[in-house]
């Protein structure tokens, strides 16, 4: 994907603010999940890209959830994702609302990519239309995938935005995305996706033909990658 386009088991904390904010808006719910919490949660299910017949499970390793491949698999097969080799995608059972915030602490090797699937539709256990935000050694890519059932990818990928910045392998990076429907004409009508890297706002896109609310997923592949924790606010 990146190269082509270039003592609680599952919830460390659920914070519910009672009542409303000073502005009168409903309080938001925040869920913080550790790698162990993600691994043991029954709310996350294995998924796959439609071009591949299967996905691969993730595993706990040194405080991270990492993608896996069968023992003895050559690294090049994992890097090239031959027949989906080593690609681990897990998604929440229930879709998120239109406006939410998600962040995660990720780590990638010299070739891998890692990040979030956003607003995904599903066809069985396969992703349908979705956004995809991935970090890798060259920066960050934001894609929009439209399922058609045709071609090698069974659909079309459109790059909506990107950040060109060298990132170090085996280093923790905090990737955060916020979403909202924009109704202010001066900002461009549509669906806003804003991306932060280690607290710095690095990318913002407004999609004039937005996808509806859908499933949130975690994507690990094209080498070995891991996620240490995920925070969801909705």
């Amino acid at each position: 994907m990146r190269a082509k386009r270039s003592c609680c088991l599952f919830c460390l904390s659920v914070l519910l603010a009672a009542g409303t904010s000073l502005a009168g808006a409903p309080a938001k719910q925040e869920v913080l999940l550790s790698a162990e919490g993600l691994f043991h949660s029954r709310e996350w299910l294995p998924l796959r890209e439609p071009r591949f017949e299967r996905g691969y499970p993730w595993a706990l390793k040194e405080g991270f959830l990492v993608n896996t491949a069968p023992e003895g698999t050559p690294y090049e097969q994992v890097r090239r994702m031959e027949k989906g080799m080593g690609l681990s995608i897990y998604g929440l059972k229930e879709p998120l609302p239109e406006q939410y915030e998600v962040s995660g602490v990720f780590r990638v090797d010299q070739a891998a990519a890692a990040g979030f699937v956003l607003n995904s539709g599903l066809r069985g256990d396969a992703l349908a239309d979705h956004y995809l935000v991935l970090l890798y050694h060259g920066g960050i890519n934001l894609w929009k995938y439209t399922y058609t059932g045709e071609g090698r990818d069974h659909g079309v990928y459109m790059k909506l935005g990107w950040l060109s910045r060298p990132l170090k392998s085996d280093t923790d990076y905090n990737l955060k995305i916020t979403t909202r429907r924009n109704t202010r004409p001066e900002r461009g009508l549509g669906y806003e996706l804003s991306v932060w890297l280690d607290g710095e706002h690095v990318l913002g896109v407004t999609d004039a033909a937005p996808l509806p609310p859908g499933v949130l997923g975690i994507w690990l592949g094209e080498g070995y990658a891991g996620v240490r924790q995920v925070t969801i606010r909705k």
Side-chain angles (χ1 to χ4, degrees), residues 133-186:
V133 182
L134 296 179
L135 61 83
Y136 70 108
H137 67 84
I140 297 173
N141 284 331
L142 168 55
W143 298 91
K144 181 181 181 180
Y145 174 83
T146 303
Y147 178 83
T148 64
E150 300 177 351
R152 193 191 75 164
D153 294 328
H154 292 213
V156 177
Y157 283 94
M158 177 185 298
K159 184 182 283 190
L160 299 184
W162 66 92
L163 168 71
S164 295
R165 177 180 298 179
L167 301 182
K168 298 178 180 179
S169 60
D170 301 320
T171 300
D172 289 5
Y173 288 101
N174 190 303
L175 178 66
K176 183 177 82 171
I177 301 110
T178 63
T179 68
R180 70 171 185 173
R181 173 76 66 166
N182 183 35
T183 57
R184 295 168 57 187
E186 68 273 16

Side-chain angles (χ1 to χ4, degrees), residues 182-223:
N182 183 35
T183 57
R184 295 168 57 187
E186 68 273 16
R187 294 176 61 93
L189 298 177
Y191 193 57
E192 287 189 6
L193 297 102
S194 297
V195 181
W196 280 259
L197 181 64
D198 289 341
E200 177 190 357
H201 183 248
V202 295
L203 180 60
V205 170
T206 299
D207 184 6
L211 301 178
V215 168
L216 170 72
I218 297 171
W219 196 104
L220 307 171
E222 290 191 338

Side-chain angles (χ1 to χ4, degrees), residues 94-129:
E94 299 297 327
L96 292 182
E98 185 175 61
Q99 182 169 322
Y100 60 91
E101 174 185 307
V102 60
S103 63
V105 178
F106 292 95
R107 180 179 291 186
V108 296
D109 69 12
Q110 69 275 12
F116 291 110
V117 176
L118 309 172
N119 296 45
S120 183
L122 295 177
R123 296 175 57 86
D125 66 342
L127 302 176
D129 297 356

